[in-house]
Amino acid sequence: MRDPNNQVQVVKNLRIFVNNVVTSPNRPPTALSHAQSKILNEVVLSCQPQEGVVNNVVTAGDYDLNFSATTPWFETYRENFLQSMPASDHEFLNHYLACLLVVSSTEAVPVEQFLKLSQEQHRIQHSGEYTNPKWFIPNTLKYYVLLHDMSEGDEQRADAVYEDMKQRYGSQGCYLLKMNTRSFSAEGDEQIPDPWSQYLQRNILHTQVRTADTLGDVTHTVNSSAVENNISAAEVDNGVSGSLESHPLQLDITSSSGSLHTLGAVKTELKKGARDPESLAGGAGSHGACLTLNDHDHIRQFIQEFTFRGLLPHIEKNIRQLNDQVVHDSNLEMAVYTMNSKHSPELQIRKMADLCFLVQHYELAYSCYHTAKKDFLSDQAMLYAAGALEMAAVSAFLQAGAPRPYPAHYMDTAIQTYRDVCKNMVLAERCVLLNAEILKSQGKYSDAATLLIKMTSEDSDLRSALLLEQAAHCFINMRNPMVRKFAFHMILAGHRFSKAGQRRHALRCYCQAMQVYKERSWSLAEDHINFTIGRQSFTLRQPEKAVIAFRQILTNDSRQTATQQSAFLREYLYVYKVTTFTPDGLSLPQLPLPCIHCSATRVYFGHERRLAEGEKQAATHVSLDQEYDQDSADMWCHLEEQLVAAANRGIVPVNFQPTQCCLNSQTDNQRHPLAVVEEPIIVEVTFRNPLKVSLALSNLSLLWRFTADDAPPSKEKMTNELAITNEEILALGARLRLLPHRTGQLNVVGVVYNLAASSSGEMAANTEGNAHTFDVMVVHGKQDLMIQGPRLNQTKEDKMTVRHGHDQRLNFIVTSPMPLMEIFFLQFPTALLCGEIRKAYVEFCNVSSVALCGLRVVSTHPDFFSFGSQATTPLTPVSPTSAENNSAYKTLATPPQSGSAAFEMLVSAEDFSQPSGVIDIPIDGSTLQPGESTQLPLWLRGPDQEGVHEINFLFYYESTGKGNKISHRVLRHTVFICASRSLSVQASACRSCVPPHHSLGDKGGGGTLIFIDVENINMSEAGMREFHIVQVSSSSQHWRLHKCINPAKDKDCKLTSRERAKLCFRATRCKPQKATSDAIKKYTFTDLNLGNERIISSSTPCGDFFFRGCQTSESQRLDAPSSRTSCSSKSQSCVSTEDRSSDITNIVRKCNELDLNIIVIWKAYVVEDNKQLILEGQLHVALQTIGKEASSLTPREMVLLKFKSQLPPPVILPSAELSQLVKTSLHYPETYTHPFVQDSLCVVPVTLTLSNCSLAQVDVIIDLRHKGTSPETLEVHSSFTWVGQTQYKLQLKPQEVLCLTLQACFLQAGVYNLNTPRVFAKPAEQGAMCETSQQTASPSLIFINNA
Amino acid sequence: MAVCIAVIAKENYPLYIRSVPTQNELKFHYTVHTSLDVVEEKISAVGKSLGDQRELYLGLLYPTEDYKVYGYVTNSKVKFVIVVDSSNTSLRDNEIRSMFRKLHNSFTDVMCNPFHNPGDQIQSKAFDGIVSGMMVQTG
């Protein structure tokens, strides 16, 4: 086409919009009508993202976002919105340009009808009655179309009419359209695409909600990508003739009655006739079925004809006219000028601009708009100015080659004017939509986003939602994508969508936003989004999604308040209940709450222990209530090793594994634990409630899988046969019990339970029986128990990656029956005095159906208890008092025989002690039959150390049958004994100097005095304790107590609090034993009773504990020096001297060795609860060497820190000890009367007895000469002299006693100390340096009287 | 005074968020989270031109209808965000600056605490006190 300057302008992609002429009352264009918004809503609702469409992934920073870049719902909305824009006065863009007058050829007088229609059109346009179909130009182009239905009408007649029309309107102004060449029936199977289908869908929507205000829109869409123009074409269509474009009519024509019916309606109805509902109802199927491809061509041809012949020339003409007018007007310089809107020059310019715009003459359009804008602005016609601004901007943008930058501020002004001055939101919105698209196409996303956000308002949720979503997309499309803004605006959009009732869109928005917030510890926001997603999903019947979302809220470490959480929980439970209602309980869904701390799961094998049964106190064994302690586990394992070694002749089998009754995260769980048939397995599951509100769990049970040994592993079958009872105990962790009835493999896979939200109120209601309200919120589900083993850290691979070992805690192997023993203790004390002996009973019960044997026990404190030994139990009758007092000791009534009467008994140590710490328990027949029980006495001795002692027993037993998977079983028992102080016994020994003739017929050298200090150190004030020393016994291989020196006869030794008693005994060497060389060491027990009852110390309780005590103290002693020697031997220089001296020291040690064990047996009278009790006990003192004091209380060793590098002190000869090699004593008359008058020299015979204490030969030198240097020698007058041989050199055989007769010579009467002989002794064959002067005894005084 | 004060870790997760209790906490979370985009934008813009000599105070991040959001980034990329009521016109840029400086000092003290594990949520009475002093006193 040509522009006013005769320049050729190319028009591309011209689109013509044909609409029905609808006269409707005008309505305010400032807001969309209700119906319109409803349409828009529907449109958006129906346009949902397709499933499975590949979304594009945007990576921004560390965010990977997955969303659809296209938003078809928005595009549809935009299109529909623009289409539904009403025509307005200030612009001409959707005003009608031309009018098609269509008449059917079946009409009686078509020409007349044309005339009528023409008049009608004229009336509508010019009468002023109708405001709505707005017309572009006063003389609207009329184009006359004769519609001929080939299937019905007479073709020749139509041609004739057409000829007539050509005459009347000119060949350029009319057209004969032939169509429907195909008969309706013939359409059968030929598949011709429905030409209307793509239009219909949309328009049916329109018609359905039609009020009087649709259609007749001019749409101008500016699309950034493709510049298309829809030129508005006007069409008059009076119902019947509307058949071309208004499709419902199409049906009418094809249907037999349709055309007649509509024809009848011509005159009266302009539009409504076409809209009869029946046609609508039938219209859903197919349209245009009678059109052949030829007909399509005809139609196309017709449109082309219309455009080129009619429309374009018309426009061209008008533009030229307007241009002339405008030029003319401006020439007149607007002298006369009224703001008569229709004819004001500005409006003419605007009209021209619009026309130019429509035919894509943007340059001209822009300049016109620009001019118009200025004029409108100067006239303060804001609405008009805004319109011109808007279009100027669009034209500028559309102008190819873009000679000028896009005037964004035009748009801004326009929007602002529309919104603020004109209050016309619809126009503002249109402007925003256009501007946003333009900005986006220019990459100005930030501006676009701001623009879009500004346009959101309270009045339309749908619009706000869509615009916000677009804004969000703008943010993500920026060069530096603003991910968080995207997310936030998505949330806002989602919110508005949900308010607008667009749930699907809302959900989609929230889901997209979730990607940004997910797992980035913005928990509050995350929870909110999850909650919304949950709700929306649920209402959209996507409960699975809802469940997942709610689950997220609950499982995340929630920072919500308790009330919020309980609301979330309730919602979740409700949704969950609705979703997962499945009648069969097999495929139970997973519950998220409460958290199961899988690795804290503990497993216990065996029955729940009864702690006590009447007086009986059961063995503590192991229980789930105990905390796991590595040290104690090691201790038990060590004990068990000892037991197993004892049971297997001293060798621990290679495949030994300690029995684990209770498995937890710290135990070794690599092997499948062994469970026993008919013995329960208790699984403790630890739950953690992450919420601040409480949860109620009920009907908790374990989920397990079982594979039988002998049967093929068919799961279902086994479940029926097996009755496994599940019990629940809810505590900190829930304990669930399994009782296997068959052997095989049993795996625990999970827990099943009911979950409910519990508030205190609900709980109360529940207990009252109001279970209905409670029931609603209870859901049933399961959770798996998957235990991950400990992290491996052995190989390099383990260290480089995270690897976990297997944990077989819950995969049991159920084995054949094993014996099961229970142990009860009777009269077992909790508090004892140190050394107190108490008798208790222990009962062994075989509670299984299998016989057991091999009963053994080992303990951490073997000296604490004894089962007694049969071998030494004397058959002598016990005294009545012993039975009365329930005494632990066996006593014999014996009058006290102080003095020489000591009872002796020779006992072999082997009768009492056992090689290792393991003690065989002497039960009858050594087996316990099923159901049998046996009771044994058990003696206990209070530990020597005061304080609380933890004493552990481990009992061992095995099945009588062989070939079990479990070789043995153990039972643990732990007792706590509180020991309080009783007596402290200190003993020392020294050589007696009593001359041999005093000791009755004994060999003189053997006498040793034993001093025993006994002190009552009991601190208890309440009990008023009085201790009686009942008996002192000794036990030794070499020595024995011989005689009691102090206390004297009949004197009972009582000790009240803090009292101390001194006892003195004489001990002698035993008669040499013949069988000393034998392996069997025989101990001589001697009893010296102070009361009138004798306790046989060599028999059961006393002897047992004596030997037990020996063993432990020996083992302690062995431990100590080993460490000492190890460090000393490091210094090589000392070795030689040590070697040399070792001989001597040996000899010396032998000489001083005593090795006498004293047993002090006491009775304590205690008042407790107004009852007098007699307690008994014994204390041991081991006297090792003469002269050294020993105590019953082993002092707590203070280990001094020493530097190991310190050289050991050089070996000094133990002169002090060497000085005791030989014992000397002088025998002489105490008083000697000599008549000095007669004989001035008094010679007194003195016998010097030398006894060799050592077991070696000793050289002895006796020197009688006075020492010259001694100060005493000065007093010559008071001295005496030895006469005769004054120096002797003798050799004494081991233990030899030698008497030397000496003569002392006195010069005058007086008192003399005879003890002057110096005796030097050295072991034979040793160097002279070893000669040591022997200890001198106390002064030996002699009275010399003058007769 | 401020209605919300937040400390955001380098990795953009919250270390500390406190807002006035009368208002919707969630809203502030969203606001602060969204402001991080602007913070990042500002950092990347400044970082190129000036290198290390970056001004820690970022100024007004963006205004909303009700609030003004200010930002501050430490050299270790820890972000402080202060949200101020828009109606509060008495607050000048300098005051905001000094608030941030105080906050930064207190934050440094928290980090110097040998018992604090960097990256953990801030749980410090002293810091709480400083923040409370800067918050709007309600009631």
Side-chain angles (χ1 to χ4, degrees):
Chain A
M1 67 166 284
R2 292 174 186 279
D3 67 357
N5 304 325
N6 265 339
Q7 301 276 305
V8 176
Q9 197 77 27
V10 183
V11 182
K12 290 177 201 155
N13 279 334
L14 196 71
R15 278 197 202 174
I16 296 171
F17 250 80
V18 186
N19 266 320
N20 192 5
V21 170
V22 179
T23 55
S24 61
N26 208 356
R27 55 196 166 69
T30 51
L32 289 175
S33 71
H34 177 70
Q36 261 178 312
S37 28
K38 210 168 164 188
I39 294 167
L40 290 174
N41 217 337
E42 297 274 338
V43 163
V44 174
L45 192 61
S46 62
C47 186
Q48 295 292 341
Q50 283 164 303
E51 296 292 322
V53 168
V54 182
N55 291 336
N56 55 339
V57 176
V58 171
T59 307
D62 46 353
Y63 294 91
D64 284 325
L65 301 181
N66 192 346
F67 67 98
S68 64
T70 56
T71 49
W73 49 93
F74 172 68
E75 267 109 58
T76 346
Y77 168 83
R78 189 179 57 201
E79 201 172 317
N80 277 281
F81 169 75
L82 292 176
Q83 273 181 16
S84 64
M85 284 283 290
S88 54
D89 288 333
H90 74 287
E91 55 190 14
F92 303 92
L93 281 171
N94 48 0
H95 291 195
Y96 294 120
L97 261 176
C99 185
L100 288 173
L101 301 174
V102 186
V103 170
S104 168
S105 59
T106 49
E107 201 71 37
V109 194
V111 181
E112 199 175 307
Q113 289 298 331
F114 277 125
L115 211 64
K116 271 188 189 166
L117 284 172
S118 178
Q119 280 162 3
E120 181 71 27
Q121 192 273 330
H122 193 264
R123 193 176 63 83
I124 290 172
Q125 189 179 357
H126 296 289
S127 69
E129 276 177 55
Y130 308 101
T131 51
N132 205 24
K134 290 195 191 296
W135 305 94
F136 213 106
I137 309 159
N139 57 338
T140 308
L141 171 70
K142 293 190 187 107
Y143 196 77
Y144 303 88
V145 180
L146 184 66
L147 188 66
H148 176 69
D149 192 335
M150 298 290 277
S151 60
E152 269 179 35
D154 181 359
E155 200 176 348
Q156 280 164 11
R157 182 169 169 265
D159 286 337
V161 173
Y162 177 57
E163 285 305 315
D164 188 22
M165 281 165 68
K166 272 203 248 180
Q167 300 257 312
R168 195 185 283 254
Y169 305 114
S171 63
Q172 290 176 358
C174 56
Y175 193 79
L176 168 66
L177 182 60
K178 296 177 184 173
M179 55 189 290
N180 284 8
T181 39
R182 200 161 54 126
S183 69
F184 183 64
S185 56
E187 127 226 36
D189 20 66
E190 269 182 80
Q191 290 294 316
I192 292 168
D194 184 347
W196 303 116
S197 57
Q198 50 179 317
Y199 306 103
L200 263 185
Q201 196 57 45
R202 200 167 63 209
N203 280 9
I204 281 177
L205 262 176
H206 282 252
T207 43
Q208 274 171 350
V209 292
R210 182 179 304 268
T211 52
D213 61 341
T214 37
L215 291 180
D217 298 337
V218 167
T219 305
H220 196 106
T221 309
V222 180
N223 214 322
S224 51
S225 49
V227 180
E228 299 168 330
N229 246 339
N230 307 337
I231 290 198
S232 71
E235 178 220 18
V236 172
D237 148 348
N238 59 1
V240 194
S241 49
S243 66
L244 176 64
E245 306 286 50
S246 63
H247 356 279
L249 270 186
Q250 181 74 32
L251 263 191
D252 284 0
I253 290 163
T254 49
S255 63
S256 54
S257 65
S259 61
L260 273 178
H261 161 79
T262 41
L263 281 175
V266 164
K267 284 171 195 164
T268 48
E269 299 176 33
L270 270 164
K271 57 260 166 195
K272 287 183 185 99
R275 313 293 168 216
D276 55 337
E278 80 178 76
S279 66
L280 279 176
S286 62
H287 306 283
C290 294
L291 293 176
T292 59
L293 288 176
N294 258 344
D295 291 341
H296 288 287
D297 285 342
H298 282 306
I299 294 168
R300 225 166 277 135
Q301 221 174 342
F302 151 65
I303 293 294
Q304 210 155 3
E305 194 79 3
F306 161 69
T307 311
F308 290 116
R309 295 276 177 80
L311 190 60
L312 282 180
H314 178 70
I315 293 172
E316 213 175 277
K317 193 178 83 194
N318 274 299
I319 290 174
R320 201 163 294 137
Q321 259 175 25
L322 281 167
N323 191 39
D324 292 347
Q325 202 178 335
V326 166
V327 172
H328 176 69
D329 278 359
S330 55
N331 286 349
L332 282 179
E333 296 188 356
M334 294 169 245
V336 187
Y337 182 119
T338 49
M339 255 318 272
N340 182 347
S341 60
K342 291 283 176 189
H343 299 289
S344 67
E346 293 91 336
L347 264 185
Q348 296 305 315
I349 296 170
R350 165 80 208 220
K351 193 178 273 181
M352 179 177 147
D354 282 351
L355 269 179
C356 293
F357 187 85
L358 290 180
V359 293
Q360 303 172 4
H361 197 323
Y362 299 118
E363 200 179 331
L364 188 56
Y366 175 77
S367 61
C368 292
Y369 283 130
H370 195 75
T371 324
K373 173 206 82 174
K374 277 196 281 188
D375 293 349
F376 287 131
L377 271 179
S378 61
D379 298 343
Q380 290 294 306
M382 293 315 286
L383 179 66
Y384 293 86
L389 277 168
E390 180 186 357
M391 288 318 290
V394 175
S395 315
F397 171 71
L398 286 174
Q399 220 167 317
R404 55 181 71 79
Y406 171 68
H409 59 281
Y410 281 17
M411 274 296 192
D412 294 340
T413 320
I415 294 165
Q416 209 180 343
T417 312
Y418 278 140
R419 196 172 53 199
D420 300 339
V421 181
C422 312
K423 309 279 181 218
N424 191 327
M425 290 312 282
V426 180
L427 288 173
E429 184 182 350
R430 182 185 70 185
C431 200
V432 164
L433 290 176
L434 291 174
N435 195 13
E437 288 304 328
I438 293 168
L439 289 172
K440 273 202 261 180
S441 78
Q442 292 176 332
K444 292 174 183 164
Y445 287 108
S446 169
D447 294 343
T450 321
L451 192 70
L452 289 165
I453 293 166
K454 265 192 196 162
M455 196 54 213
T456 59
S457 60
E458 289 303 314
D459 58 336
S460 166
D461 286 321
L462 180 69
R463 188 212 314 144
S464 303
L466 285 162
L467 295 186
L468 282 168
E469 192 185 0
Q470 288 306 307
H473 280 275
C474 286
F475 284 123
I476 202 75
N477 284 325
M478 284 167 70
R479 204 177 55 227
N480 296 316
M482 289 192 156
V483 187
R484 298 175 196 90
K485 282 198 165 185
F486 162 75
F488 181 59
H489 287 95
M490 271 300 189
I491 288 167
L492 293 178
H495 178 66
R496 300 305 288 266
F497 268 130
S498 76
K499 272 171 90 180
Q502 302 273 0
R503 294 185 186 282
R504 267 171 209 285
H505 285 296
L507 178 59
R508 183 181 43 76
C509 287
Y510 277 110
C511 286
Q512 283 179 6
M514 190 62 200
Q515 298 177 62
V516 174
Y517 287 96
K518 204 172 189 172
E519 283 154 25
R520 287 181 195 267
S521 66
W522 290 86
S523 60
L524 215 56
E526 204 179 333
D527 288 352
H528 167 245
I529 299 169
N530 265 322
F531 183 68
T532 321
I533 290 177
R535 278 222 159 145
Q536 297 288 3
S537 311
F538 182 66
T539 43
L540 287 170
R541 306 196 189 285
Q542 298 177 339
E544 295 79 16
K545 220 171 171 181
V547 167
I548 292 167
F550 280 120
R551 204 189 160 104
Q552 285 274 337
I553 307 177
L554 296 174
T555 44
N556 277 359
D557 251 343
S558 174
R559 289 174 58 207
Q560 306 281 356
T561 56
T563 44
Q564 193 72 39
Q565 282 184 347
S566 74
F568 284 153
L569 180 65
R570 255 197 299 278
E571 198 106 0
Y572 170 72
L573 291 177
Y574 176 69
V575 170
Y576 185 91
K577 198 168 174 64
V578 171
T579 13
T580 59
F581 183 71
T582 43
D584 61 327
L586 289 174
S587 54
L588 278 172
Q590 297 271 339
L591 283 173
L593 283 171
C595 302
I596 292 185
H597 195 349
C598 277
S599 71
T601 306
R602 296 198 293 165
V603 182
Y604 174 79
F605 299 95
H607 294 279
E608 287 281 328
R609 295 259 140 203
R610 288 168 291 174
L611 282 178
E613 193 178 78
E615 294 242 295
K616 294 174 178 179
Q617 187 191 350
T620 52
H621 199 47
V622 194
S623 86
L624 279 171
D625 300 324
Q626 292 164 355
E627 292 276 314
Y628 181 80
D629 170 29
Q630 186 61 47
D631 292 343
S632 80
D634 290 346
M635 185 269 295
W636 289 115
C637 177
H638 179 69
L639 290 179
E640 192 175 343
E641 241 173 60
Q642 289 180 24
L643 284 168
V644 172
N648 290 289
R649 290 176 223 88
I651 307 140
V652 179
V654 194
N655 58 352
F656 166 74
Q657 291 286 349
T659 310
Q660 291 176 325
C661 282
C662 182
L663 298 177
N664 56 32
S665 54
Q666 283 142 301
T667 50
D668 173 22
N669 302 324
Q670 291 185 13
R671 293 166 304 122
H672 290 277
L674 298 169
V676 178
V677 156
E678 302 293 346
E679 283 183 29
I681 302 162
I682 296 167
V683 179
E684 187 188 79
V685 185
T686 310
F687 291 103
R688 186 177 62 88
N689 184 358
L691 302 184
K692 295 183 183 93
V693 290
S694 53
L695 298 168
L697 305 184
S698 53
N699 289 343
L700 206 62
S701 58
L702 285 174
L703 211 60
W704 45 264
R705 195 188 309 125
F706 182 77
T707 322
D709 268 346
D710 40 359
S714 64
K715 216 200 295 178
E716 293 80 7
K717 198 181 144 204
M718 295 323 292
T719 24
N720 292 337
E721 283 182 352
L722 256 143
I724 292 188
T725 55
N726 293 320
E727 286 177 15
E728 62 122 345
I729 307 144
L730 250 174
L732 193 75
R735 290 182 187 168
L736 300 148
R737 208 159 69 103
L738 280 176
L739 186 65
H741 290 307
R742 292 187 58 160
T743 59
Q745 179 154 8
L746 181 64
N747 299 331
V748 172
V749 288
V751 280
V752 182
Y753 56 93
N754 284 345
L755 175 68
S758 82
S759 64
S760 51
E762 264 175 321
M763 287 301 275
N766 193 34
T767 48
E768 280 162 29
N770 190 4
H772 279 293
T773 51
F774 194 65
D775 247 17
V776 180
M777 301 303 271
V778 176
V779 297
H780 194 55
K782 68 165 181 185
Q783 264 195 79
D784 287 344
L785 279 173
M786 300 282 282
I787 302 181
Q788 201 173 32
R791 192 180 158 182
L792 299 175
N793 203 16
Q794 296 295 315
T795 61
K796 192 187 173 193
E797 285 77 42
D798 290 345
K799 285 173 185 166
M800 308 256 292
T801 55
V802 180
R803 281 194 194 176
H804 290 272
H806 294 288
D807 199 306
Q808 307 284 11
R809 230 181 290 173
L810 294 176
N811 306 325
F812 322 114
I813 292 172
V814 183
T815 64
S816 47
M818 282 294 292
L820 185 68
M821 184 176 71
E822 280 188 23
I823 298 177
F824 297 98
F825 295 91
L826 287 92
Q827 301 167 9
F828 206 90
T830 54
L832 287 172
L833 293 168
C834 290
E836 183 183 340
I837 304 284
R838 195 69 81 82
K839 189 176 182 182
Y841 292 90
V842 58
E843 189 176 303
F844 301 97
C845 303
N846 185 352
V847 294
S848 67
S849 53
V850 182
L852 64 89
C853 65
L855 205 52
R856 289 177 178 84
V857 68
V858 71
S859 168
T860 48
H861 292 65
D863 55 338
F864 172 69
F865 69 101
S866 168
F867 283 101
S869 52
Q870 260 90 15
T872 56
T873 313
L875 297 168
T876 41
V878 292
S879 70
T881 47
S882 123
E884 245 170 59
N885 293 337
N886 204 8
S887 168
Y889 289 115
K890 294 207 169 69
T891 55
L892 292 170
T894 322
Q897 295 179 326
S898 61
S900 59
F903 298 87
E904 285 180 37
M905 200 146 207
L906 219 58
V907 169
S908 151
E910 238 126 273
D911 289 342
F912 288 97
S913 58
Q914 294 192 334
S916 66
V918 180
I919 297 151
D920 288 321
I921 297 169
I923 51 169
D924 290 334
S926 77
T927 52
L928 263 179
Q929 293 305 319
E932 202 182 348
S933 69
T934 183
Q935 214 175 58
L936 286 178
L938 175 73
W939 286 273
L940 307 170
R941 180 173 176 268
D944 286 322
Q945 298 269 337
E946 68 167 320
V948 177
H949 297 257
E950 180 188 333
I951 296 164
N952 298 302
F953 298 92
L954 190 65
F955 293 90
Y956 170 101
Y957 57 98
E958 51 197 35
S959 171
T960 46
K962 293 289 166 213
N964 285 313
K965 277 184 183 152
I966 303 172
S967 63
H968 65 274
R969 306 192 91 173
V970 291
L971 183 68
R972 296 176 186 179
H973 182 58
T974 303
V975 287
F976 289 91
I977 293 289
C978 177
S980 50
R981 287 197 208 168
S982 54
L983 295 176
S984 120
V985 177
Q986 280 175 324
S988 62
C990 64
R991 288 228 169 77
S992 118
C993 298
V994 181
H997 58 262
H998 280 253
S999 55
L1000 295 162
D1002 205 18
K1003 284 186 183 169
T1008 301
L1009 287 176
I1010 309 289
F1011 298 97
I1012 301 175
D1013 271 14
V1014 184
E1015 189 187 356
N1016 180 353
I1017 52 167
N1018 190 281
M1019 302 295 277
S1020 153
E1021 304 285 315
M1024 288 281 289
R1025 280 179 194 170
E1026 190 180 60
F1027 285 90
H1028 290 234
I1029 310 292
V1030 179
Q1031 180 174 318
V1032 177
S1033 299
S1034 75
S1035 165
S1036 169
Q1037 292 179 54
H1038 313 293
W1039 293 80
R1040 61 197 175 92
L1041 281 186
H1042 178 68
K1043 190 183 160 190
C1044 179
I1045 298 167
N1046 182 36
K1049 207 175 208 173
D1050 291 340
K1051 208 181 160 198
D1052 206 1
C1053 184
K1054 281 183 203 167
L1055 288 170
T1056 51
S1057 187
R1058 284 288 169 200
E1059 253 180 7
R1060 185 191 272 264
K1062 236 177 176 39
L1063 305 174
C1064 180
F1065 298 91
R1066 175 190 288 271
T1068 52
R1069 229 173 241 285
C1070 295
K1071 293 166 190 105
Q1073 292 159 22
K1074 284 141 249 166
T1076 342
S1077 54
D1078 288 0
I1080 309 153
K1081 286 182 182 172
K1082 290 271 184 181
Y1083 282 82
T1084 310
F1085 280 84
T1086 43
D1087 301 336
L1088 280 169
N1089 56 318
L1090 304 175
N1092 50 11
E1093 279 177 343
R1094 184 169 77 89
I1095 293 158
I1096 307 158
S1097 60
S1098 59
S1099 76
T1100 267
C1102 184
D1104 286 312
F1105 287 115
F1106 165 69
F1107 285 111
R1108 291 279 156 73
C1110 283
Q1111 271 177 4
T1112 44
S1113 58
E1114 258 166 43
S1115 63
Q1116 280 169 6
R1117 220 178 300 143
L1118 282 172
D1119 283 348
S1122 63
S1123 58
R1124 243 173 265 156
T1125 46
S1126 65
C1127 71
S1128 64
S1129 61
K1130 278 177 191 161
S1131 51
Q1132 296 287 325
S1133 60
C1134 307
V1135 171
S1136 57
T1137 49
E1138 252 179 74
D1139 273 350
R1140 203 151 49 88
S1141 61
S1142 64
D1143 251 3
I1144 316 164
T1145 39
N1146 240 342
I1147 292 162
V1148 172
R1149 196 178 293 144
K1150 277 272 168 58
C1151 163
N1152 284 324
E1153 207 170 57
L1154 188 63
D1155 201 17
L1156 177 70
N1157 296 292
I1158 308 289
I1159 304 167
V1160 177
I1161 299 174
W1162 47 263
K1163 272 188 183 171
Y1165 293 85
V1166 181
V1167 180
E1168 212 168 71
D1169 298 335
N1170 295 326
K1171 272 197 286 183
Q1172 184 167 353
L1173 295 175
I1174 300 173
L1175 306 175
E1176 298 160 309
Q1178 63 186 53
L1179 293 167
H1180 309 144
V1181 183
L1183 279 170
Q1184 299 296 330
T1185 45
I1186 291 172
K1188 264 195 186 163
E1189 197 171 65
S1191 170
S1192 65
L1193 297 170
T1194 46
R1196 303 253 163 101
E1197 254 185 65
M1198 293 261 285
V1199 182
L1200 291 171
L1201 274 176
K1202 278 181 186 166
F1203 293 105
K1204 284 193 172 176
S1205 60
Q1206 208 174 44
L1207 280 170
V1211 179
I1212 326 158
L1213 279 177
S1215 59
E1217 284 170 19
L1218 277 172
S1219 69
Q1220 292 185 1
L1221 280 174
V1222 174
K1223 199 162 82 173
T1224 57
S1225 57
L1226 293 162
H1227 298 277
Y1228 53 90
E1230 275 178 31
T1231 43
Y1232 195 84
T1233 312
H1234 181 76
F1236 281 101
V1237 190
Q1238 292 157 4
D1239 188 356
S1240 60
L1241 285 178
C1242 165
V1243 179
V1244 180
V1246 173
T1247 319
L1248 174 66
T1249 316
L1250 294 165
S1251 52
N1252 183 0
C1253 297
S1254 74
L1255 296 170
Q1257 277 205 347
V1258 176
D1259 292 333
V1260 182
I1261 297 166
I1262 303 157
D1263 191 358
L1264 297 177
R1265 289 169 300 178
H1266 293 291
K1267 275 187 268 176
T1269 50
S1270 165
E1272 288 113 293
T1273 53
L1274 298 173
E1275 295 173 61
V1276 186
H1277 63 276
S1278 63
S1279 71
F1280 70 99
T1281 26
W1282 294 99
V1283 291
Q1285 193 178 350
T1286 54
Q1287 238 179 341
Y1288 297 87
K1289 204 164 188 176
L1290 304 164
Q1291 196 168 51
L1292 288 176
K1293 290 187 190 72
Q1295 303 211 346
E1296 190 189 349
V1297 181
L1298 194 82
C1299 293
L1300 279 177
T1301 311
L1302 309 173
Q1303 285 188 322
C1305 180
F1306 300 92
L1307 298 172
Q1308 57 190 78
V1311 181
Y1312 296 91
N1313 180 9
L1314 280 181
N1315 199 4
T1316 56
R1318 282 171 293 158
V1319 179
F1320 299 93
K1322 70 170 176 70
E1325 295 149 26
Q1326 292 287 332
M1329 64 177 293
C1330 297
E1331 265 180 28
T1332 318
S1333 126
Q1334 295 298 297
Q1335 198 181 40
T1336 48
S1338 48
S1340 309
L1341 298 180
I1342 186 166
F1343 296 89
I1344 306 294
N1345 295 329
N1346 200 349
Chain B
M1 300 302 262
V3 287
C4 174
I5 290 177
V7 180
I8 313 294
K10 180 171 178 284
E11 295 82 8
N12 289 335
Y13 62 87
L15 292 176
Y16 186 93
I17 294 192
R18 202 136 123 236
S19 52
V20 282
T22 47
Q23 289 169 56
N24 184 6
E25 197 184 352
L26 178 66
K27 184 172 67 182
F28 287 117
H29 278 240
Y30 276 130
T31 307
V32 171
H33 182 254
T34 309
S35 73
L36 294 178
D37 270 334
V38 188
V39 171
E40 249 169 34
E41 194 185 28
K42 292 212 175 195
I43 295 172
S44 60
V46 173
K48 279 167 202 157
S49 57
L50 283 168
D52 295 18
Q53 300 298 307
R54 188 168 55 82
E55 162 83 279
L56 301 181
Y57 177 60
L58 297 178
L60 182 64
L61 296 181
Y62 67 89
T64 66
E65 296 98 30
D66 309 322
Y67 304 109
K68 283 190 238 168
V69 186
Y70 292 91
Y72 183 95
V73 181
T74 70
N75 285 318
S76 53
K77 298 277 192 296
V78 173
K79 291 116 188 156
F80 299 138
V81 175
I82 293 181
V83 183
V84 178
D85 212 309
S86 283
S87 59
N88 194 342
T89 47
S90 63
L91 276 175
R92 309 219 165 256
D93 210 44
N94 265 340
E95 278 142 13
I96 301 281
R97 253 175 220 273
S98 75
M99 274 163 82
F100 274 124
R101 213 166 296 129
K102 252 162 76 184
L103 201 63
H104 194 172
N105 286 339
S106 185
F107 174 75
T108 313
D109 290 345
V110 171
M111 288 300 127
C112 290
N113 177 1
F115 299 103
H116 178 79
N117 191 10
D120 283 0
Q121 298 260 323
I122 296 174
Q123 281 167 332
S124 153
K125 272 186 192 164
F127 193 78
D128 270 342
I130 292 285
V131 169
S132 303
M134 291 192 278
M135 298 279 271
V136 171
Q137 306 302 317
T138 48

